[in-house]
């Protein structure tokens, strides 16, 4: 069984990690293991994680037996929240890492040769250490602000609260092998994606089909 090549993709919120992952997946059939989606899956299905979060952030974040993500975000991203975001990450990281590893190991057993780990906290959670290459996606602050507002259907002030919690661009670029600047349109991002694939020797249909 050949070793699966892990491509880590990270960067600040709104920069376009998901867009780059989606382009690479669409062009080359590379499965994407999206840490945010895995996190949401865990919040809805893992009672151990849910109970830990309820104990630390209050029962008001639980609705109909599930973690209310908006209620949780209002607690950890609020001004004056202190280290609550760090506490949230310290609780959820291990659940996300464990589930991500389980899915990647399953992909490797099924002969998948390349996989993307799309994670905003790839570096903070030390997940980048298990990747064969790390790509960070960066973009201008105003672009990110617009994307966050549109994506999450939140106000400008709510989006700004999230941006204020983000690391500087240098935090991501210093720990990455490749830096992608996503200030243009999707055509520009696709061009950069193709250049990355070429540099890694990735061609269409190199992966088995059917696993995403």
């Amino acid at each position: 069984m050949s070793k699966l090549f892990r491509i880590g993709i990270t960067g600040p919120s709104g920069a376009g990690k998901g867009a780059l992952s989606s382009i690479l997946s669409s062009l080359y059939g590379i499965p994407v293991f999206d840490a945010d989606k895995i996190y949401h899956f865990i919040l809805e299905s893992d009672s151990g994680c849910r109970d830990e979060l309820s104990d630390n952030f209050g029962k008001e974040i639980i609705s109909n037996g599930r973690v209310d993500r908006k209620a949780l975000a209002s607690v950890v991203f609020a001004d004056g929240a202190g280290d609550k975001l760090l506490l949230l990450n310290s609780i959820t990281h291990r659940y996300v890492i464990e589930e991500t590893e389980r899915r990647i190991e399953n992909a490797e057993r099924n002969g998948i040769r390349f996989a993307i780990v799309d994670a905003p906290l790839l570096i903070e959670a030390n997940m980048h250490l298990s990747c064969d290459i790390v790509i960070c996606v960066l973009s201008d602050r105003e672009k990110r602000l617009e994307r966050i507002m549109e994506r999450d259907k939140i106000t400008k002030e709510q989006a700004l609260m999230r941006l204020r919690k983000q690391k500087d661009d240098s935090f991501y670029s210093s720990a990455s092998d490749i830096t992608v600047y996503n200030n243009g349109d999707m055509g520009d991002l696709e061009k950069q994606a193709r250049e990355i694939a070429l540099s890694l020797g990735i061609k269409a249909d190199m992966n088995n089909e059917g696993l995403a």
Side-chain angles (χ1 to χ4, degrees):
M1 181 176 65
S2 59
K3 182 180 180 297
L4 181 148
F5 188 93
R6 299 188 191 199
I7 304 167
I9 297 183
T10 191
S13 181
K17 300 178 299 296
L20 179 63
S21 297
S22 179
I23 290 171
L24 287 169
S25 179
S26 176
L27 290 176
Y28 304 102
I30 305 173
V32 178
F33 297 94
D34 185 326
D36 276 343
K37 290 181 179 179
I38 292 172
Y39 168 66
H40 296 163
F41 167 79
I42 289 169
L43 290 188
E44 293 185 356
S45 62
D46 193 300
S47 60
C49 182
R50 180 193 61 208
D51 291 345
E52 278 197 64
L53 293 176
S54 176
D55 290 343
N56 283 277
F57 299 105
K59 297 189 183 302
E60 61 270 18
I61 69 166
I62 306 298
S63 177
N64 297 320
R66 295 181 177 180
V67 176
D68 184 328
R69 299 200 301 271
K70 287 189 176 180
L72 181 59
S74 69
V75 173
V76 301
F77 288 112
D79 287 332
D83 293 333
K84 287 186 178 180
L85 181 58
L86 291 176
L87 176 59
L88 171 65
N89 291 337
S90 70
I91 293 170
T92 58
H93 278 173
R94 65 180 182 275
Y95 289 97
V96 172
I97 292 171
E98 181 180 326
E99 179 63 19
T100 302
E101 286 299 319
R102 185 190 68 78
R103 296 185 184 193
I104 289 177
E105 288 171 6
N106 183 59
E108 191 169 51
R109 284 194 297 270
N110 281 276
I112 295 298
R113 296 177 60 186
F114 296 91
I116 292 168
V117 180
D118 178 344
L121 300 179
L122 188 83
I123 300 166
E124 292 93 325
N126 286 325
M127 295 174 73
H128 68 300
L129 299 177
S130 63
C131 293
D132 296 285
I133 194 166
V134 177
I135 303 167
C136 73
V137 184
L138 303 177
S139 66
D140 293 341
R141 183 181 175 87
E142 286 304 313
K143 287 277 189 182
R144 291 167 51 206
L145 182 64
E146 292 172 7
R147 291 168 184 156
I148 293 170
M149 291 170 62
E150 181 178 354
R151 181 193 67 197
D152 298 338
K153 310 302 181 194
I154 59 176
T155 66
K156 183 175 182 178
E157 182 55 37
Q158 289 173 317
L160 284 170
M161 280 197 297
R162 297 190 184 186
L163 287 181
R164 285 194 287 267
K165 299 281 186 177
Q166 296 287 304
K167 305 282 190 182
D168 292 336
D169 287 355
S170 60
F171 171 82
Y172 300 99
S173 59
S174 64
S176 300
D177 302 292
I178 298 173
T179 299
V180 169
Y181 292 98
N182 182 30
N183 291 315
D185 57 19
M186 290 298 287
D188 179 63
L189 189 60
E190 180 176 325
K191 179 182 177 182
Q192 293 185 76
R194 290 183 183 276
E195 290 172 353
I196 290 169
L198 181 64
S199 70
L200 296 177
I202 299 172
K203 300 178 182 178
D205 302 322
M206 289 186 74
N207 271 323
N208 287 351
E209 296 180 356
L211 182 63

